[in-house]
Each structure stands twice: as structure tokens, then as C-alpha cells.
Amino acid sequence: MPRINLLPWREERRKQRQRDFNMAAAGCAAAAIGAVAWWHSWIAGNIDYQRQRNEFLKTQITRVDQRIKDIKDLQATREQLLARMKIIERLQQSRPEVVHLFDQLVRTLPDGVYLTSFTQKGSTLTLEGIANSSARVSAYMRNIDQSDWLGDPNLRVIKSNNKGSLRRKAFTLTARQQVGKDAGAKGS
């Protein structure tokens, strides 16, 4: 039998396989590096996109916060204006009440009774004056009680004030200002 040396052929085949393996390994490594590079750039792109979205949202939130602040300022201004309007309406409604109050003070005052001062706190009036007698003070209190614009007379103090030949009584009483029963008919 002839001897054939197959060693160089096998060795060459082995070298070829080694070269093919190295090429495949280098190709896989290059593909892996490319895939990693692509993935990294894709992630970086997504991060940049998200940052842009976040910046956009921040600017929109700032705008909305400014609008909310403006709305709150407008609401506060509106509340102040409404409060002023209510005060003006209240003053407009109470304007004729002062006229009626002075009118009733004069109309309820009987002969022989003189007011020296009066004060008003809220709807409570404090009346101070001088009368010729206690009966005149009683008549004044009855007139106040019958008035449409005054009511609830309450005598606080009555004392004699003898000066010379005149015998007078100094008095202090309280009454309440009220809208009368016929105030709508009389007040107009």
C-alpha cells in the first residue's frame, strides 16, 4: 500500500477552519460592538428626547403657575370689589334711614323735653336730655315705643336738676333704631 501523507491537507484545513472561526469571531465582535454602539446612541437619543419633553413641561408648568397666580390676583380683586359694592349698597340703603331717624327724633319729642346729646353705636341710640317732669320723660318713651323707626326705649338714669326756680329732670335713655312696620310706605 502506498503511503499517502494527508497531514498537510488536514493541517491546511485546520488552518482554514481557524481563519474562518477567527473571522466569524471578529464579525460577531464587530456586530456586538456595533449593536452596543447603536443601543447606546438610541438610549442617549431617548434621554435627550425626554430632557426636551421635561423642559417643555417645565416651561408649560411655569406658564400655568403664572396664570394661576394671575387668576388668584383677579379673584382677590373681585372679592375686594364685591365687598366695596356691598358697602356702597348698604350705604345707599341706609341713606334714607338717617333722615327718618332725625325726623323721628323730632316727631317723638313731646313739649317740655329737650335733647342735649345723642350717640349711636350700631342700631342702639343713647339719648340724653332735660325734661320739665318725669311724666314728660314717660310720654317721650311711649312716643318712641309707638314710632316706626325707633323702639325698645329703656330709661337708664333720671335725676332732678334744680337750678333756680326751674325744677327739671335730667335723663339718659337708650332706644333701638329699626326699620318701621310701614317704613316701605312712609320711607318712599
Side-chain angles (χ1 to χ4, degrees):
M1 229 178 90
R3 285 186 130 206
I4 301 177
N5 188 357
L6 295 177
L7 255 106
W9 176 78
R10 284 185 186 166
E11 203 168 303
E12 227 171 275
R13 189 173 164 200
R14 192 177 301 136
K15 284 181 183 178
Q16 183 64 32
R17 281 188 181 169
Q18 188 67 34
R19 269 185 263 147
D20 289 343
F21 175 76
N22 287 341
M23 289 295 274
C28 285
I33 290 173
V36 167
W38 173 83
W39 182 75
H40 179 70
S41 67
W42 181 74
I43 292 293
N46 282 345
I47 290 172
D48 287 341
Y49 176 68
Q50 188 62 42
R51 282 186 185 148
Q52 289 173 357
R53 289 177 61 189
N54 290 348
E55 288 301 318
F56 175 76
L57 289 175
K58 284 180 186 177
T59 57
Q60 293 302 316
I61 288 171
T62 304
R63 287 182 187 168
V64 169
D65 286 344
Q66 183 62 38
R67 288 180 184 165
I68 289 172
K69 183 180 176 244
D70 292 344
I71 289 171
K72 285 182 181 179
D73 291 344
L74 287 174
Q75 285 176 341
T77 303
R78 178 180 177 262
E79 293 298 323
Q80 290 173 351
L81 290 174
L82 287 175
R84 287 180 188 171
M85 285 175 51
K86 285 180 184 178
I87 290 171
I88 291 170
E89 286 175 4
R90 208 174 315 129
L91 288 173
Q92 289 292 342
Q93 290 172 352
S94 69
R95 183 192 288 174
E97 290 177 10
V98 174
V99 175
H100 288 293
L101 174 64
F102 281 111
D103 183 52
Q104 288 299 306
L105 285 175
V106 172
R107 287 182 191 263
T108 57
L109 210 60
D111 291 334
V113 177
Y114 308 97
L115 291 178
T116 56
S117 71
F118 76 94
T119 57
Q120 181 178 12
K121 287 187 179 178
S123 64
T124 302
L125 298 167
T126 303
L127 305 164
E128 295 178 6
I130 298 173
N132 289 343
S133 68
S134 296
R136 305 256 179 183
V137 174
S138 296
Y140 185 40
M141 290 177 65
R142 279 192 299 277
N143 290 346
I144 289 174
D145 202 27
Q146 292 172 356
S147 170
D148 289 335
W149 293 91
L150 299 172
D152 299 331
N154 187 7
L155 185 62
R156 297 283 183 200
V157 176
I158 189 166
K159 56 185 169 181
S160 294
N161 189 0
N162 297 333
K163 289 188 179 177
S165 65
L166 297 175
R167 302 179 96 198
R168 295 193 174 188
K169 304 285 183 182
F171 66 90
T172 302
L173 63 91
T174 60
R176 290 206 177 270
Q177 180 184 6
Q178 58 191 17
V179 176
K181 306 164 215 150
D182 301 325
K186 285 186 174 181
S188 300

